[in-house]
Amino acid sequence: MKLFQFLFRFLFSISFFIPFNIVAQYYSSPESQGLKSENIQFCFDSLMNISHGEIHGIVVMRHGKIVAELFPEPFKREFSHTLYSVSKTFVATAVGLAVDDNRLRISDRVMLFFPEFYRDTISDGWADMTIRDLLTMSSGFEPDWNLRNIQSDWVQSLLNKTVNHPGSHFKYDSMVSYLLSVIVQKVTGETVLDYLNKRIFSKIGIDDAEWEMSPEGYYVGGWGLRMSTLSMAKFGQFLLNCGSWNGEQLLSSSWVREMMSVQQHADKSRLYGYQIWKHDDIEGAFRADGALGQYIIVAPKEDMVIAITQCNRGNGILERQILNDWLLRKVSDKPLQEGSAYQKLRSSCYSLPVAGGKSLRAKYMKLLDKDIFLNQNSLGWKSIRLTSCGAQLKIEIETTTGEQMILHASNGKWGSDTTHVCPPYSINALGRFSGISRRFVVSSSYGINNGTLCLKILFPNWISGVELFISEEKGEVKVKAKENYKKEFTVLK
């Protein structure tokens, strides 16, 4: 009876921050896996206080157990996140599956997969380019980051490019990964996402993956994958296990080892595998790496996985240094004694800053109940209308395409809504958001400071956020905006 009471109290005490159905399988205290809670706490506090970015989610695993996680309000464990170039590592995994299935070899010439685009003559460069050259970012053609924004026939546009000395020089290019996605679909008859879902994701418990599609109907490969931070961590653990899960070899261990070995030098300090980076100076560690600080860090020597989603406008060096110094370099081979630091870590609550300032007062009512028409802008917003709604501020945003997004911002805390309107996005590729379910969570808050209404709007199951500053001077309304992925302000009116 005493044992039953102990177990009940234990499970009840941790259920406030861990879903019951995954407690037994995944979760463990940091100390039981050789990590100190105070180090994790310092790591989380430091990351949350970096001025040039915002943390959205962190999952830390050691010995196959989740030992810590961080999801500051309004972000939540179950929310998906766009991963940018972390997507590339998943493409390389799909290529590995195709190699395992004898659908292709990395020595195969790329042009063999596109006979419909054959011309009378093929240049020596195209004739020589192999799958391995694509995997290692050494295709031999010059990257054109605007191609995806202005061309709808991506494959044809890429095959029209001049190729020089494939395999010799590292040139990072997301469209190279797109070609790999197309090739996987050609040789398997399945999209890269369907292929991964059937062979890997369904086996390791990833059920939230979505991927943006190109105007040609292929998954874009080099970016556009969307899943939760927890799913990212599971995938990292799968790689750490060398392609094995619960005793089943889902991907050949030889491919995972080859993929996470140095295959190309980007420069003297940055090394590259197959669509994945060598992780700093941590021995044997590799990193799936996406724009604005999306990471899956796989550290075999430390038997650790760290998945992180964020919106970071810096170069990521400071964040990675914090993770390296306070997590990867602080592990013990033996379990440690739990203490008060563990309890403090478990009870810690984090939130991204809400809009500072006071609630609505009568003298600010002149901003309400009128349409504020905006200049042409990258947000795609046409007008804003503000209405007092009890203790909240109702915000109606009309887009240039006639869609409407309605938010209810709170003062001093985050309000929450959902919308089918696509959030702001730093990628302008044609067809963006195709393939993605359009049910976006929107969290907002407001405050008034020195006559200026500040609105903070976050899309916590995407990545982006916008801070609006609305004021009225001499009868003229002025609106400035700042997206969380940009350093500069945009004048909207």
Side-chain angles (χ1 to χ4, degrees):
M1 185 66 180
K2 289 183 178 180
L3 177 61
F4 175 80
Q5 291 173 336
F6 169 78
L7 289 173
F8 177 82
R9 285 196 299 268
F10 173 74
L11 290 173
F12 180 80
S13 70
I14 63 176
S15 64
F16 75 96
F17 79 111
I18 299 174
F20 182 84
N21 64 329
I22 58 176
V23 168
Q25 184 176 1
Y26 285 119
Y27 284 81
S28 181
S29 72
E31 281 75 13
S32 67
Q33 306 304 323
L35 284 149
K36 291 183 178 180
S37 291
E38 54 261 42
N39 291 338
I40 295 174
Q41 184 89 61
F42 185 86
C43 175
F44 286 178
D45 290 347
S46 299
L47 292 171
M48 286 294 295
N49 282 298
I50 291 175
S51 60
H52 57 255
E54 57 189 32
I55 297 297
H56 297 166
I58 305 175
V59 175
V60 181
M61 299 186 71
R62 186 153 201 243
H63 301 327
K65 301 288 186 180
I66 295 175
V67 297
E69 58 180 22
L70 166 63
F71 295 97
E73 284 292 329
F75 290 83
K76 299 185 185 301
R77 178 190 297 106
E78 63 270 21
F79 287 169
S80 292
H81 201 278
T82 191
L83 304 188
Y84 289 91
S85 289
V86 165
S87 310
K88 293 176 172 66
T89 305
F90 290 82
V91 172
T93 301
V95 171
L97 286 174
V99 170
D100 285 352
D101 292 343
N102 292 316
R103 305 278 184 159
L104 56 80
R105 295 178 176 85
I106 65 171
S107 58
D108 288 343
R109 299 299 194 260
V110 172
M111 281 303 297
L112 295 178
F113 300 98
F114 300 97
E116 68 272 29
F117 294 106
Y118 271 169
R119 293 153 287 189
D120 292 338
T121 60
I122 301 172
S123 70
D124 290 342
W126 274 110
D128 293 340
M129 187 198 298
T130 66
I131 297 294
R132 185 183 186 281
D133 297 333
L134 300 183
L135 287 167
T136 59
M137 291 293 173
S138 51
S139 65
F141 56 68
E142 287 296 323
D144 179 0
W145 292 90
N146 198 41
L147 184 152
R148 61 187 179 182
N149 303 338
I150 61 175
Q151 301 287 350
S152 59
D153 53 346
W154 292 2
V155 171
Q156 178 70 78
S157 298
L158 289 168
L159 296 182
N160 285 340
K161 293 172 72 69
T162 300
V163 174
N164 293 305
H165 308 295
S168 58
H169 299 294
F170 181 91
K171 293 185 177 180
Y172 191 80
D173 187 358
S174 287
M175 298 307 289
V176 162
S177 307
Y178 175 65
L179 279 181
L180 288 172
S181 173
V182 174
I183 289 169
V184 167
Q185 185 166 335
K186 279 176 167 285
V187 300
T188 65
E190 299 178 85
T191 67
V192 66
L193 181 56
D194 288 343
Y195 197 37
L196 288 169
N197 271 329
K198 181 172 70 175
R199 298 287 294 277
I200 294 177
F201 292 171
S202 62
K203 307 291 184 66
I204 70 176
I206 294 177
D207 58 5
D208 57 357
E210 298 180 313
W211 215 321
E212 293 180 72
M213 300 193 80
S214 75
E216 299 174 300
Y218 298 102
Y219 287 115
V220 296
W223 69 96
L225 183 60
R226 182 186 185 208
M227 63 173 58
S228 67
T229 317
L230 180 60
S231 291
M232 293 167 66
K234 291 178 184 178
F235 182 75
Q237 186 64 43
F238 165 76
L239 293 180
L240 186 66
N241 295 347
C242 280
S244 174
W245 196 266
N246 289 335
E248 183 180 1
Q249 196 70 43
L250 306 178
L251 177 65
S252 63
S253 59
S254 60
W255 178 262
V256 177
R257 286 193 293 269
E258 188 175 344
M259 179 177 156
M260 294 200 301
S261 299
V262 175
Q263 302 290 343
Q264 186 62 277
H265 288 67
D267 51 41
K268 290 182 179 180
S269 61
R270 296 184 305 146
L271 309 175
Y272 204 65
Y274 291 160
Q275 306 279 289
I276 190 169
W277 292 91
K278 172 74 179 69
H279 178 62
D280 299 335
D281 60 350
I282 302 297
E283 183 182 347
F286 274 74
R287 177 183 77 245
D289 188 320
L292 302 172
Q294 323 316 313
Y295 298 137
I296 304 174
I297 300 170
V298 181
K301 184 178 178 182
E302 291 76 14
D303 199 17
M304 284 187 68
V305 171
I306 303 171
I308 179 168
T309 50
Q310 56 183 321
C311 187
N312 184 308
R313 298 182 303 277
N315 57 20
I317 292 175
L318 176 58
E319 287 81 355
R320 297 202 306 271
Q321 183 179 340
I322 292 170
L323 293 169
N324 294 341
D325 290 349
W326 290 95
L327 297 183
L328 295 175
R329 294 193 176 102
K330 296 285 188 180
V331 296
S332 168
D333 293 333
K334 298 179 180 179
L336 307 173
Q337 183 67 41
E338 293 175 10
S340 59
Y342 174 47
Q343 301 303 322
K344 180 181 177 182
L345 177 65
R346 288 181 55 224
S347 62
S348 295
C349 295
Y350 293 89
S351 175
L352 295 182
V354 296
K358 299 178 181 179
S359 59
L360 283 171
R361 298 291 188 270
K363 66 178 181 177
Y364 300 113
M365 295 300 181
K366 55 190 175 182
L367 289 172
L368 304 182
D369 303 316
K370 67 172 88 171
D371 291 320
I372 303 172
F373 290 97
L374 309 175
N375 304 332
Q376 185 176 354
N377 58 82
S378 60
L379 298 174
W381 294 354
K382 177 183 177 182
S383 65
I384 300 173
R385 187 178 183 87
L386 307 173
T387 308
S388 179
C389 186
Q392 294 182 315
L393 180 65
K394 182 180 178 182
I395 308 162
E396 298 172 79
I397 297 172
E398 185 177 348
T399 71
T400 54
T401 57
E403 296 178 289
Q404 192 174 54
M405 176 167 53
I406 299 177
L407 316 178
H408 297 83
S410 298
N411 179 245
K413 61 181 181 179
W414 291 106
S416 184
D417 298 276
T418 59
T419 183
H420 294 288
V421 176
C422 294
Y425 192 12
S426 60
I427 288 178
N428 295 311
L430 295 182
R432 64 183 191 160
F433 294 107
S434 297
I436 300 293
S437 59
R438 299 192 180 187
R439 186 178 185 276
F440 299 104
V441 176
V442 195
S443 297
S444 55
S445 64
Y446 83 90
I448 295 176
N449 275 302
N450 300 320
T452 297
L453 172 64
C454 175
L455 302 174
K456 279 193 173 183
I457 302 170
L458 284 171
F459 295 83
N461 68 343
W462 184 246
I463 183 175
S464 48
V466 181
E467 199 167 1
L468 296 176
F469 300 89
I470 305 175
S471 60
E472 187 172 25
E473 298 177 18
K474 299 179 181 180
E476 182 181 359
V477 176
K478 296 184 177 181
V479 183
K480 288 198 308 180
K482 187 176 184 301
E483 293 102 312
N484 61 350
Y485 50 84
K486 290 184 178 179
K487 296 180 180 179
E488 68 277 0
F489 286 86
T490 302
V491 177
L492 299 185
K493 183 176 177 60

